[in-house]
């Protein structure tokens, strides 16, 4: 297995499109496209996001993740994570998070006890209660000591992206075409 930072623009868009569909689902309406557009148009444009893949021994992607930098550029938040079908790797998403937790200043958000347990198995050691009801987990390389000094994560307003689609049909069609092209060109190997 190998962790790949997908830097090639065509492959990155394809992996991001696939990740958005897998995370939000095929029947999720506009959410996958809005997330794709916001990530590309805002976070990647600012060089604040990375698409990573875990590949099997033959180079086939078996898990995808989106990491987003914090406002100070000192740490990364796991924004999206998804396993892909694989016969060769058991629990590929967990394997990817385990690798990232060892190498990166990683932050994760757990919405329930099962997610927290999974992230803990992956090496996320420190847990804090966030006011919105999430549990925030920090990997061993994360510089924060608690919520008080946790850097602000970068992001975008998905509702604003949807509004921009409604106001500018050309922007909508452009991102829709990039999204569909990405899905059609998902790489078999990285």
């Amino acid at each position: 297995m190998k962790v790949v930072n997908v830097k090639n623009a065509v492959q990155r868009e394809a992996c991001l499109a696939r990740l958005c569909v897998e995370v939000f689902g095929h029947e999720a309406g506009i959410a996958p496209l809005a997330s794709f557009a916001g990530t590309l148009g805002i976070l990647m444009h600012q060089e604040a996001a990375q698409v990573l893949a875990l590949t099997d021994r033959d180079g086939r992607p078996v898990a995808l993740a989106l990491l987003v930098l914090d406002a100070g550029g000192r740490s990364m938040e796991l924004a999206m994570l998804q396993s892909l079908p694989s016969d060769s790797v058991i629990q590929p998403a967990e394997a990817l998070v385990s690798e990232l937790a060892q190498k990166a200043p990683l932050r994760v958000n757990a919405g329930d006890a099962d997610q927290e347990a999974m992230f803990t198995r992956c090496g996320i050691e420190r847990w804090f209660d966030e006011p919105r009801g999430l549990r925030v987990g920090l990997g061993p390389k994360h510089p924060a000591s608690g919520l008080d000094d946790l850097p602000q994560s970068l992001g975008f307003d998905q509702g604003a992206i949807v509004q921009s689609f409604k106001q500018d049909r050309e922007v909508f069609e452009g991102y829709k075409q990039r999204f569909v092209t990405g899905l059609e060109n998902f790489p078999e190997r990285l």
Side-chain angles (χ1 to χ4, degrees):
M1 293 184 304
K2 179 179 164 187
V3 176
V4 177
N5 184 351
V6 186
K7 293 183 178 182
N8 174 283
V10 172
Q11 290 180 334
R12 185 178 59 225
E13 283 193 24
C15 289
L16 180 61
R18 175 77 182 265
L19 181 59
C20 290
V21 165
E22 295 290 336
V23 167
F24 289 98
H26 293 274
E27 305 297 323
I30 196 85
L33 179 60
S35 185
F36 174 82
T39 301
L40 280 180
I42 297 170
L43 298 176
M44 294 223 173
H45 181 73
Q46 297 173 352
E47 297 181 359
Q50 297 176 348
V51 175
L52 295 144
L54 181 72
T55 60
D56 66 12
R57 64 182 167 272
D58 295 322
R60 291 185 297 260
V62 295
L64 297 171
L66 176 67
L67 294 182
V68 177
L69 289 174
D70 68 47
R74 298 180 313 150
S75 65
M76 302 172 163
E77 180 177 345
L78 182 64
M80 285 193 272
L81 173 70
Q82 186 64 46
S83 291
L84 301 176
S86 171
D87 295 330
S88 60
V89 179
I90 298 169
Q91 303 289 346
E94 286 188 35
L96 179 54
V97 174
S98 293
E99 290 289 323
L100 296 175
Q102 293 174 24
K103 298 175 182 173
L106 189 64
R107 168 189 174 162
V108 299
N109 299 309
D112 59 36
D114 290 339
Q115 283 185 335
E116 183 176 340
M118 184 269 292
F119 286 133
T120 299
R121 287 191 304 273
C122 295
I124 302 300
E125 302 170 338
R126 298 172 286 152
W127 289 96
F128 306 96
D129 290 317
E130 198 257 355
R132 295 177 298 169
L134 291 175
R135 293 276 289 159
V136 175
L138 304 180
K141 296 195 178 279
H142 198 287
S145 60
L147 287 178
D148 293 339
D149 66 341
L150 191 63
Q152 176 70 33
S153 295
L154 295 176
F156 57 88
D157 182 345
Q158 193 162 332
I161 301 292
V162 172
Q163 284 302 318
S164 74
F165 287 167
K166 291 177 181 177
Q167 294 170 356
D168 191 334
R169 187 80 179 160
E170 194 172 309
V171 168
F172 171 75
E173 290 297 333
Y175 277 113
K176 183 174 101 175
Q177 185 57 52
R178 288 172 78 178
F179 186 75
V180 169
T181 300
L183 291 174
E184 291 171 348
N185 294 314
F186 183 73
E188 286 188 37
R189 288 183 169 70
L190 291 171

